Amino acid sequence: MRKITFGTDGWRGIIADDFTFENVKVVAQAISEYVLENYENPTIMVGYDYRFHSENFAKVCAEVLSSNAIHVLLSKQPIPTPALAHAVVKKGISGAIMITASHNPYYYNGIKFIPHYGGPANTQITDRIVKNVERIQKEGLGSLNPDEKLIEYFDHKEEYINDILNLIDKNAFERKTLKVLVNPMHGCGIGYIDEVLKRLGCEVKVINNWRDPLFGGHLPEPNLENMKDLLEVIKSEKFDLGLATDGDADRFGIVNPDGEYISANEVIFMLADYLIKTRGKASSIARTVATTSMLDKIAEKHNMRCIETPVGFKYIAECLMKEDSLIGGEESGGLSIKGHVPEKDGILADLLVTEAVAKLQKSPKEILRDIESEYGKLYNKRIDVRTTHQKKEEALERIKNFGKSEVAGLRCLEYRTRDGLKVILENSSWFLIRPSGTEDLIRIYGESPDEHKLEEILIDIRSYLGL
């Protein structure tokens, strides 16, 4: 029997291999036991995405929960992860189970548990669930007796949309009717962003807005490689903006009117600067260790802290809940803001960028140029190096014993080992090495105000690692 483990955002597996109905029952039972230990008279929501069999996996989870005398609210239709997190907080219930593999390939599915605070489960919670899983796998699941009377159905779309609209400055849209191209990538964002934009008076065209469990043959991840159809449409027709969300709509994708992709790092610091100027300051900004240090510059100018966390939105969520962070984000395409749920929300991120474009009457690229003229430009890049197990082990040893005093001619000023190895270099440059915990893969990130120097840094580090 394969080991079921929870990563940074739940358990994911290959459908019909390890992600089976029997294993889903095991995880649902483990979550049920955790919930019963920690909540009195619990109510748990169950949501699901558009993936193959997701609605059936969700029904099985509801049946397991009801077998444990837990009141269940089962979504009537596919629901975005951020909308489900919002429903948990809005209704004040014990938590939720979301059936999704987010941006993973079509042959994956997954389960994530959302606790009562409406954000990713922290390590303490997932560790306890995994312990339950291990015991159940060892002892056997036992008989289950679902109680249909404990299962009700819900639809949270309108409540979520109304609250999202309350986070958006509607007056920003009065000066000009924006023409926006929306790409939900056959995922849970279908019918959400376009609906909000229409209520804001925008002219909207939507592509890939029907269920396709194969996601059109692409990864449902809104990056440059997977959004070529959006790039073609936005270049052939005149739009003010292109927006996308991933499979469960917790990640965002932004495209300039000329078809240029705006990176997640750029979106995060663009919105940090915009929110400070339009919403006011807070105590801090939060970013992961791999995310641009442009946020540090912005925070410093406004006498705010910039909190660096390990990779994983659960750490950003902690800052949003406990550190009065105005915005928290990660370079992989997730962010949320103060006053919203502490879960990454691609729908909200896309709409905030749209608001900025409408209010400032500038394209995203023009907004970025203004910010960079104030703070300077930083180039960043990430490379994923797939290798052999032996070479990975050799690289890990070199990381452990890293002793270089300079890289690409720049002095090493500080070494951070909280999540991988991050080395701060002179000239506002840095690099980060993070080995995958599950694959023979090493990720190398870098940032520098000099694009050529950035390439030298990455080449130097890759050479040092023997990759």
Side-chain angles (χ1 to χ4, degrees):
M1 186 176 290
R2 293 197 182 186
K3 187 175 181 181
I4 294 173
T5 58
F6 276 62
T8 57
D9 209 12
W11 168 55
R12 294 175 189 172
I14 296 174
I15 299 169
D17 182 3
D18 54 342
F19 200 89
T20 62
F21 282 104
E22 201 60 31
N23 281 345
V24 167
K25 287 179 184 178
V26 169
V27 175
Q29 179 63 29
I31 292 172
S32 297
E33 294 177 9
Y34 170 80
V35 168
L36 289 169
E37 290 168 1
N38 290 276
Y39 300 97
E40 188 176 348
N41 299 319
T43 295
I44 297 293
M45 286 179 156
V46 180
Y48 54 93
D49 64 10
Y50 280 104
R51 287 173 182 268
F52 179 68
H53 261 324
S54 281
E55 67 272 33
N56 298 317
F57 288 126
K59 186 66 164 66
V60 164
C61 288
E63 290 171 350
V64 173
L65 290 162
S66 73
S67 296
N68 287 270
I70 295 172
H71 181 216
V72 182
L73 298 176
L74 177 59
S75 183
K76 291 180 179 178
Q77 58 194 5
I79 182 172
T81 293
L84 184 63
H86 179 270
V88 168
V89 174
K90 190 80 172 179
K91 296 183 184 300
I93 62 171
S94 312
I97 291 174
M98 179 68 186
I99 303 295
T100 183
S102 191
H103 61 287
N104 279 40
Y106 71 89
Y107 46 85
Y108 276 82
N109 214 324
I111 294 179
K112 67 178 293 179
F113 176 63
I114 301 171
H116 65 278
Y117 51 79
N122 61 37
T123 304
Q124 290 77 17
I125 293 172
T126 56
D127 283 351
R128 290 173 67 180
I129 292 171
V130 168
K131 283 184 179 179
N132 289 344
V133 167
E134 291 170 349
R135 177 181 49 76
I136 294 166
Q137 285 185 315
K138 184 177 180 180
E139 298 176 356
L141 186 60
S143 60
L144 297 170
N145 298 296
D147 186 349
E148 291 292 334
K149 293 178 182 177
L150 289 175
I151 302 175
E152 298 180 54
Y153 292 84
F154 78 96
D155 182 349
H156 190 67
K157 182 176 181 179
E158 193 62 27
E159 284 186 81
Y160 170 78
I161 284 178
N162 286 337
D163 276 7
I164 287 290
L165 279 165
N166 288 333
L167 292 171
I168 302 298
D169 179 6
K170 302 177 188 65
N171 295 329
F173 294 84
E174 293 178 350
R175 292 173 59 188
K176 177 186 175 184
T177 299
L178 291 183
K179 186 178 178 184
V180 185
L181 178 61
V182 177
N183 179 15
M185 304 189 81
H186 303 289
C188 283
I190 294 171
Y192 279 80
I193 291 178
D194 48 317
E195 177 61 30
V196 175
L197 290 174
K198 287 172 185 175
R199 295 189 193 185
L200 292 169
C202 298
E203 182 182 340
V204 185
K205 178 173 180 174
V206 190
I207 61 174
N208 301 322
N209 60 336
W210 62 92
R211 182 179 188 178
D212 177 2
L214 301 180
F215 301 107
H218 305 287
L219 281 177
E221 182 176 7
N223 59 25
L224 183 62
E225 179 63 28
N226 300 318
M227 293 200 301
K228 291 180 179 177
D229 49 358
L230 183 147
L231 300 180
E232 289 176 6
V233 175
I234 204 168
K235 283 191 256 185
S236 63
E237 303 178 36
K238 192 171 179 63
F239 289 94
D240 296 296
L241 188 62
L243 306 174
T245 47
D246 73 337
D248 66 331
D250 66 349
R251 298 188 182 206
F252 58 83
I254 307 294
V255 176
N256 206 61
D258 61 0
E260 182 176 332
Y261 175 73
I262 308 298
S263 74
N265 274 321
E266 291 171 322
V267 172
I268 295 166
F269 76 69
M270 177 201 306
L271 288 181
D273 183 76
Y274 175 75
L275 290 173
I276 289 170
K277 291 173 180 175
T278 59
R279 308 293 202 271
K281 295 193 296 183
S283 298
S284 66
I285 294 170
R287 62 163 179 79
T288 63
V289 65
T291 304
T292 178
S293 56
M294 181 71 86
L295 292 166
D296 300 62
K297 294 186 174 188
I298 292 171
E300 182 179 8
K301 177 163 186 179
H302 294 280
N303 297 312
M304 297 166 65
R305 288 187 301 145
C306 187
I307 303 171
E308 181 175 273
T309 77
V311 171
F313 206 80
K314 59 188 174 184
Y315 302 108
I316 297 293
E318 289 284 324
C319 296
L320 290 167
M321 290 187 289
K322 299 178 181 179
E323 301 290 346
D324 188 37
S325 293
L326 178 65
I327 184 172
E330 53 185 4
E331 60 82 36
S332 56
L335 69 80
S336 191
I337 66 170
K338 183 178 179 180
H340 190 45
V341 291
E343 177 62 272
K344 53 184 178 286
D345 190 336
I347 296 168
L348 177 62
D350 281 351
L351 291 169
L352 286 171
V353 171
T354 310
E355 178 198 314
V357 168
K359 191 176 186 69
L360 301 177
Q361 295 290 292
K362 294 179 179 179
S363 71
K365 199 156 66 173
E366 290 170 333
I367 298 171
L368 288 171
R369 276 203 294 262
D370 289 345
I371 296 171
E372 288 165 351
S373 68
E374 184 175 357
Y375 295 98
K377 185 170 179 61
L378 289 175
Y379 298 89
N380 44 68
K381 187 175 181 180
R382 162 182 147 182
I383 54 176
D384 293 351
V385 185
R386 295 195 176 274
T387 184
T388 64
H389 183 69
Q390 181 180 341
K391 284 199 169 185
K392 180 185 177 183
E393 290 300 311
E394 292 170 356
L396 288 174
E397 194 63 25
R398 290 189 178 99
I399 294 169
K400 182 180 176 182
N401 298 305
F402 188 85
K404 289 172 71 71
S405 59
E406 68 173 43
V407 172
L410 299 175
R411 285 185 300 117
C412 299
L413 304 178
E414 183 183 349
Y415 305 86
R416 301 176 186 173
T417 56
R418 188 178 182 189
D419 188 353
L421 172 66
K422 184 172 185 177
V423 179
I424 309 302
L425 306 168
E426 60 183 335
N427 192 33
S428 299
S429 301
W430 58 265
F431 69 86
L432 167 69
I433 311 168
R434 289 187 71 248
S436 169
T438 58
E439 302 175 84
D440 292 323
L441 171 72
I442 292 180
R443 294 185 173 92
I444 306 172
Y445 307 76
E447 186 169 71
S448 175
D450 184 326
E451 190 172 14
H452 298 294
K453 183 59 69 174
L454 173 60
E455 291 299 328
E456 289 179 27
I457 292 168
L458 295 174
I459 291 170
D460 195 346
I461 291 304
R462 189 164 181 173
S463 174
Y464 170 78
L465 295 175
L467 300 173

